[in-house]
Amino acid sequence: MYIISKIKLAALITVFAFLSASLHAQTKYMIGGIVRDSSSAQPVSYATIGLIDNQNNVITSTLSDENGTFNLMADKPGDYSIQISFIGYATRILPVRVLSNTLNLSIPIILLNPVATNLKEVTVSAQKNIIEVHPGMLVYNAANDLTNKGGTAADVLRKAPILNVDPQGNVSMRGSTNLKILIDGKYSGQMARNAADALNMMPADAIKSVEVITTPSAKYDAEGAAGVINIITRKGRKNLDGALELTASNLEQAFNPRVAFTIGKWNFSFHGHLHQLRSKEGSTYLRTQPGNGSDVAQLEQQVEQDNTAPHGSGDFQVTFSPDSSSEFNLAINSSIGNWPGDKDIKTITRSATGGILEQYSQHIDASERYLSGDFNIGYFRKFKKSGQQLNILAQMAPRKSEAPYYTLISYMTSQPQYQEYNTNEIKNREWTFQADYIHPFSSTGKYSIESGLKAILRNADNNYQVSVADPDLEGIAQIDAARSDRFSYKQNVWSAYMMGKANLPNNWYAEAGVRAEETQIQGDLLQSGTKFSNHFINLIPTATVSRKINDAHTITLSYTQRLTRPSIWDLNPNANASDPKNITTGNPRLKPEIAQQAELVYGLNRVSGFFLNTSLYVKQTNNAIMSFTQTDANGISITQERNLASNKMAGLNLSSSGSITKNWTVNGNLNVSYLNFNSDALQIVNTGWAADINLNTTMKLPSHYSLQVFGQYNGRKVTLQGYKSGQYFHSLAVKKEIPDKKINITLAFINPFSTYISQKVVLNSRSFESSESNRYYSLAVKLTLNWEFGSMFSQRERKKIKNDDVSGPPKS
């Protein structure tokens, strides 16, 4: 089997290499330049630049980056025009000539003149590459992927480079779920509550792109051992932009309105999301407890759950730009919903001889009802010196949720029923204050220093009460005082960072920085009188060195240190005993984990639009926070997060994108890694290889039809106590565009060749062995109607709070 696995892995790498080699057959000509403000000489970020031929046809378009730089691709030599436009500036049109012997044409700096009146609409449309390489990150342009229509953010991240998303929406990067997900640079309260649920609440149509940052610099919060994901949403910057989207399928229904408009120096935008999601799962669970070479007990369970979760969210933003160098921003986001977790369980326990000790059926009513909000206010200022800027931000995030459960156990004998009810009310309030400043030491921005201060103040309160109606107590419901309490938790994080950046001779680039974070934690169980506290200071160094060999080849070496703090979900001792044979609980004694990572990246980015990103990385995690399960003599398992092990990881990432023909594009990702878990406390060593691959291809057909096929396979992965088997996901989609009506109709088939996705989870220890076979029913046919009105959407970055410093709740 080991030899067969190596052959399969070699075949995958060979197929991926062949695909990559075949994509860059076309030769294109690159036209580059820089856009600046004519009065201040500052870069104009996110200006729209279009390449137009002599028949007035738009060949391609792009957006200038933060430094005002842009690159366009021409298919052949000839005479063209460059059209540059941005709100608040007069449109400029420049003639350019591309010669056959010039692959890279650099045009002079383009100056835009500010105007007081609104500009007329400039219609420039083109498809960017689905995946792009930027310094320190890979960018997945989700807006260009037709199968995302009608989907959610979980569907979008499933196709992004390096990432993996399981059927429940839990995201991992290079095998680790300890990562931070930002929305427009901001860590939202909804993501803090449960990232998987939050991703299922966010419509794919609202997403412009996804930034995957594997080695974050010192300007990012130190939290997120695996890395950072930043989801960039669409925003309108014209007089009126908007869209209405309707989705219907056998598993979900959604309505997603989106509108943005500009009045003078004011810009308003709103994203709404109403969603009803059906989640159907089943599992077969078997656990044995060996003793003296034979089984002394066995637990068998059949679990079925079928739930429908109605939920919604809204995001409203107001931006005021008094001039071209300053901006005020107010953003309000709110989420509301009900995520039920009802289950039906059939349980049998057996003795070592096979006799039935206990047999019962159980029904669990569980749900999480919540209301959360994020209120952001910010000020952004550019100074006269190019690249000099100040950003001040503040955020308040109140959240309230109820997550009770009721369980009813009916025995197969005449024994009375057992009932248990657990109330679980959580209130959370968070304040964040942040200031960032960039100071260049020259007009060209060759050398600069970036620094910042940040404070995060968190207060959480969890009031829970357990009532039990036990047959031994004549079935009368009584409060279980030992399992009821009020948990109060405070966490304050104070941080500062400084980093230097330098553009050196011979196309060398270097940056280095350090981030200091002080964390104060205090917890209090009010009824039992138990208190705990912790205080620690972390210095987080980061460094990157890059060499641009030529216009196509770049090599980058990066080092970063990251940490993961325990959150209230990790620490909260309120035990979930809805299934009395499998209990989960928090651990107030948790300490943060520290990870160190080094990465060597080779990037190939040809003028044809083809790119290949190759990354070799190693990572060492100490004091790792890991899920640990143990059983007692009564056959009851208890699962909680523990600081039990260190783990090492080494791996290779390949990401590629390009065009096979003019109308056929392909992109894909391959991740191969080796994991080594080592726990001296448990005397456990577990090692193994893992491989994940996905391929995504789109073909434009006549009459404005498009076809897309996507496939993903996540290989077997080892864990501290066992392993998870591989699983696959695939989809097909056909889209019909009606350009004059700005209507898109998409018919998608999700996992059309399988009724459900299966995955096996195996755990082994000295006290037990368990095997859980899960079934995730995901077969769906989905129809989506999307209508866009007003002018096209163009992206302008919003500066937001980046609370990427705490771990999220445990994954289901």
Side-chain angles (χ1 to χ4, degrees):
M1 292 295 294
Y2 179 71
I3 296 175
I4 294 174
S5 297
K6 291 184 70 177
I7 293 174
K8 289 182 177 178
L9 181 58
L12 286 175
I13 295 175
T14 301
V15 169
F16 198 92
F18 174 78
L19 171 65
S20 299
S22 66
L23 289 174
H24 62 276
Q26 296 179 338
T27 299
K28 292 192 177 183
Y29 303 84
M30 185 167 68
I31 306 169
I34 301 175
V35 183
R36 293 185 181 274
D37 185 299
S38 62
S39 58
S40 66
Q42 294 190 33
V44 177
S45 304
Y46 309 108
T48 301
I49 300 98
L51 180 65
I52 302 172
D53 63 16
N54 52 17
Q55 278 82 40
N56 220 21
N57 297 317
V58 177
I59 304 302
T60 185
S61 72
T62 188
L63 301 174
S64 59
D65 63 18
E66 292 182 351
N67 299 316
T69 303
F70 69 89
N71 288 298
L72 295 165
M73 302 294 180
D75 292 326
K76 57 185 178 179
D79 292 325
Y80 297 91
S81 295
I82 301 290
Q83 182 172 273
I84 309 98
S85 62
F86 192 67
I87 189 72
Y89 292 92
T91 299
R92 286 204 65 183
I93 300 177
L94 299 175
V96 295
R97 173 169 292 179
V98 178
L99 303 177
S100 59
N101 60 353
T102 304
L103 290 178
N104 299 292
L105 177 62
S106 178
I107 61 179
I109 293 175
I110 303 171
L111 299 178
L112 294 187
N113 296 319
V115 294
T117 58
N118 290 330
L119 299 177
K120 295 181 179 179
E121 176 181 339
V122 179
T123 304
V124 180
S125 60
Q127 292 280 21
K128 299 174 72 175
N129 291 333
I130 286 193
I131 298 180
E132 298 178 340
V133 180
H134 292 262
M137 72 177 73
L138 294 177
V139 179
Y140 167 52
N141 291 306
N144 298 335
D145 193 334
L146 69 97
T147 55
N148 289 328
K149 293 291 185 181
T152 66
D155 300 313
V156 172
L157 296 189
R158 190 171 279 117
K159 300 171 187 175
I162 302 177
L163 305 181
N164 283 299
V165 182
D166 68 17
Q168 293 74 48
N170 299 313
V171 185
S172 63
M173 182 188 296
R174 294 171 172 170
S176 174
T177 58
N178 288 333
L179 50 83
K180 291 300 123 191
I181 303 176
L182 313 177
I183 309 295
D184 290 326
K186 173 178 67 73
Y187 189 64
S188 73
Q190 181 64 9
M191 286 292 177
R193 186 194 68 84
N194 189 303
D197 289 351
L199 292 173
N200 278 318
M201 289 184 60
M202 188 175 188
D205 185 59
I207 299 175
K208 177 183 181 290
S209 61
V210 178
E211 299 174 350
V212 181
I213 308 167
T214 55
T215 53
S217 66
K219 71 177 181 179
Y220 290 92
D221 292 328
E223 181 65 31
V228 174
I229 301 169
N230 188 21
I231 299 174
I232 305 297
T233 60
R234 297 190 185 204
K235 299 173 184 69
R237 296 299 298 172
K238 302 297 179 182
N239 289 337
L240 176 64
D241 296 307
L244 294 176
E245 183 177 80
L246 292 171
T247 294
S249 82
N250 54 309
L251 293 182
E252 62 182 315
Q253 301 80 42
F255 171 60
N256 303 315
R258 175 164 50 89
V259 65
F261 58 92
T262 298
I263 302 177
K265 298 178 180 181
W266 294 84
N267 177 262
F268 303 85
S269 65
F270 170 77
H271 295 165
H273 179 58
L274 295 176
H275 193 196
Q276 181 167 274
L277 179 66
R278 182 186 178 191
S279 175
K280 184 178 180 181
E281 302 175 12
S283 67
T284 301
Y285 184 73
L286 179 65
R287 184 171 71 228
T288 59
Q289 293 184 241
N292 298 323
S294 62
D295 293 346
V296 298
Q298 187 180 75
L299 171 68
E300 302 174 14
Q301 286 187 319
Q302 295 287 338
V303 183
E304 298 291 339
Q305 50 185 314
D306 189 351
N307 296 288
T308 300
H311 52 270
S313 65
D315 182 269
F316 177 70
Q317 294 193 38
V318 180
T319 301
F320 173 63
S321 302
D323 51 51
S324 62
S325 61
S326 59
E327 180 178 281
F328 296 87
N329 178 256
L330 171 67
I332 301 173
N333 177 274
S334 181
S335 302
I336 187 171
N338 180 17
W339 293 83
D342 298 350
K343 297 180 182 179
D344 288 299
I345 306 175
K346 294 182 179 180
T347 300
I348 299 176
T349 60
R350 301 180 186 274
S351 66
T353 60
I356 295 178
L357 299 176
E358 194 176 24
Q359 185 175 6
Y360 60 86
S361 61
Q362 178 181 2
H363 178 72
I364 300 172
D365 283 328
S367 65
E368 181 176 7
R369 300 178 293 272
Y370 63 87
L371 175 64
S372 66
D374 293 304
F375 302 87
N376 296 269
I377 187 169
Y379 170 69
F380 177 70
R381 170 74 178 179
K382 288 183 179 180
F383 299 94
K384 288 186 177 181
K385 181 182 288 188
S386 177
Q388 185 181 13
Q389 59 188 48
L390 173 69
N391 192 34
I392 301 175
L393 303 155
Q395 179 192 67
M396 182 187 69
R399 297 185 285 278
K400 180 180 180 180
S401 66
E402 297 179 359
Y405 71 78
Y406 168 76
T407 182
L408 173 65
I409 296 178
S410 302
Y411 297 94
M412 299 305 172
T413 64
S414 57
Q415 186 178 4
Q417 296 176 331
Y418 172 88
Q419 301 177 65
E420 179 175 308
Y421 182 72
N422 186 332
T423 63
N424 189 20
E425 299 178 354
I426 299 176
K427 293 181 180 180
N428 196 335
R429 188 176 295 273
E430 179 177 303
W431 287 91
T432 304
F433 304 95
Q434 177 179 333
D436 298 276
Y437 174 69
I438 300 176
H439 185 83
F441 290 100
S442 64
S443 59
T444 60
K446 193 176 248 187
Y447 304 99
S448 64
I449 284 182
E450 185 172 348
S451 59
L453 299 171
K454 187 172 184 179
I456 307 173
L457 312 176
R458 294 187 175 97
N459 290 275
D461 188 87
N462 180 206
N463 192 5
Y464 56 94
Q465 179 177 285
V466 178
S467 301
V468 174
D470 195 311
D472 296 334
L473 301 174
E474 299 180 353
I476 300 174
Q478 297 184 5
I479 296 175
D480 188 341
R483 297 171 57 195
S484 303
D485 213 323
R486 180 180 175 184
F487 178 48
S488 178
Y489 174 68
K490 294 182 180 180
Q491 183 190 85
N492 296 334
V493 180
W494 312 87
S495 60
Y497 77 93
M498 179 172 288
M499 58 185 299
K501 300 179 180 180
N503 291 289
L504 303 172
N506 299 319
N507 290 323
W508 283 93
Y509 170 80
E511 70 174 41
V514 63
R515 187 180 187 91
E517 295 193 346
E518 179 184 11
T519 306
Q520 301 168 341
I521 295 176
Q522 180 180 340
D524 190 359
L525 290 163
L526 301 181
Q527 294 184 21
S528 66
T530 303
K531 297 179 182 292
F532 67 90
S533 62
N534 203 349
H535 173 266
F536 47 89
I537 297 176
N538 298 97
L539 291 177
I540 309 298
T542 65
T544 297
V545 178
S546 179
R547 170 76 194 283
K548 187 175 182 180
I549 301 173
N550 54 40
D551 290 336
H553 304 274
T554 304
I555 295 179
T556 303
L557 178 64
S558 300
Y559 167 80
T560 186
Q561 193 177 107
R562 310 290 290 165
L563 63 86
T564 299
R565 298 183 188 90
S567 72
I568 185 174
W569 294 275
D570 302 318
L571 301 167
N572 193 343
N574 181 18
N576 185 335
S578 57
D579 178 359
K581 299 299 182 183
N582 300 281
I583 299 173
T584 59
T585 184
N587 179 10
R589 297 178 296 276
L590 277 179
K591 298 179 180 180
E593 69 176 27
I594 305 265
Q596 301 183 69
Q597 178 175 294
E599 182 178 36
L600 177 63
V601 178
Y602 163 70
L604 172 63
N605 197 353
R606 293 193 176 276
V607 293
S608 63
F610 167 80
F611 96 88
L612 172 67
N613 189 81
T614 305
S615 172
L616 290 169
Y617 63 92
V618 291
K619 183 169 70 172
Q620 168 76 41
T621 304
N622 297 320
N623 211 33
I625 298 175
M626 310 197 74
S627 181
F628 177 69
T629 300
Q630 57 185 343
T631 58
D632 60 18
N634 297 318
I636 297 174
S637 74
I638 298 177
T639 301
Q640 65 177 182
E641 302 295 304
R642 303 271 292 273
N643 296 110
L644 286 175
S646 65
N647 64 70
K648 299 177 182 178
M649 177 185 291
L652 166 70
N653 282 129
L654 296 174
S655 296
S656 184
S657 177
S659 300
I660 295 179
T661 67
K662 182 179 179 180
N663 295 317
W664 184 11
T665 60
V666 179
N667 69 280
N669 304 285
L670 174 66
N671 180 37
V672 181
S673 60
Y674 179 78
L675 296 169
N676 184 326
F677 293 94
N678 191 325
S679 174
D680 293 334
L682 302 175
Q683 295 185 335
I684 293 177
V685 176
N686 200 11
T687 62
W689 286 91
D692 306 317
I693 187 171
N694 68 52
L695 288 174
N696 188 41
T697 181
T698 302
M699 181 173 289
K700 294 182 180 180
L701 304 174
S703 302
H704 300 288
Y705 281 94
S706 298
L707 173 67
Q708 185 171 54
V709 180
F710 172 78
Q712 171 180 295
Y713 179 75
N714 299 330
R716 178 182 182 272
K717 288 184 175 62
V718 298
T719 61
L720 175 64
Q721 292 183 271
Y723 69 88
K724 295 181 179 181
S725 67
Q727 57 181 348
Y728 67 91
F729 180 91
H730 61 282
S731 65
L732 306 172
V734 179
K735 183 176 76 169
K736 168 65 175 178
E737 297 180 66
I738 307 176
D740 56 335
K741 303 291 185 180
K742 295 187 177 180
I743 293 176
N744 295 324
I745 303 173
T746 305
L747 180 63
F749 302 87
I750 313 300
N751 285 327
F753 304 115
S754 59
T755 304
Y756 56 82
I757 297 174
S758 61
Q759 185 178 47
K760 189 175 184 180
V761 180
V762 175
L763 298 179
N764 296 295
S765 75
R766 294 180 178 180
S767 62
F768 75 95
E769 296 178 356
S770 70
S771 174
E772 182 178 15
S773 299
N774 297 302
R775 304 179 302 276
Y776 305 108
Y777 295 87
S778 57
L779 174 63
V781 179
K782 181 165 58 178
L783 180 65
T784 300
L785 174 65
N786 183 280
W787 172 52
E788 294 193 4
F789 54 88
S791 57
M792 71 172 188
F793 282 90
S794 61
Q795 173 64 27
R796 183 173 182 181
E797 184 186 36
R798 300 291 185 209
K799 302 296 181 179
K800 293 292 188 67
I801 291 291
K802 300 177 183 177
N803 279 3
D804 48 347
D805 66 303
V806 296
S807 64
K811 306 302 181 185
S812 58

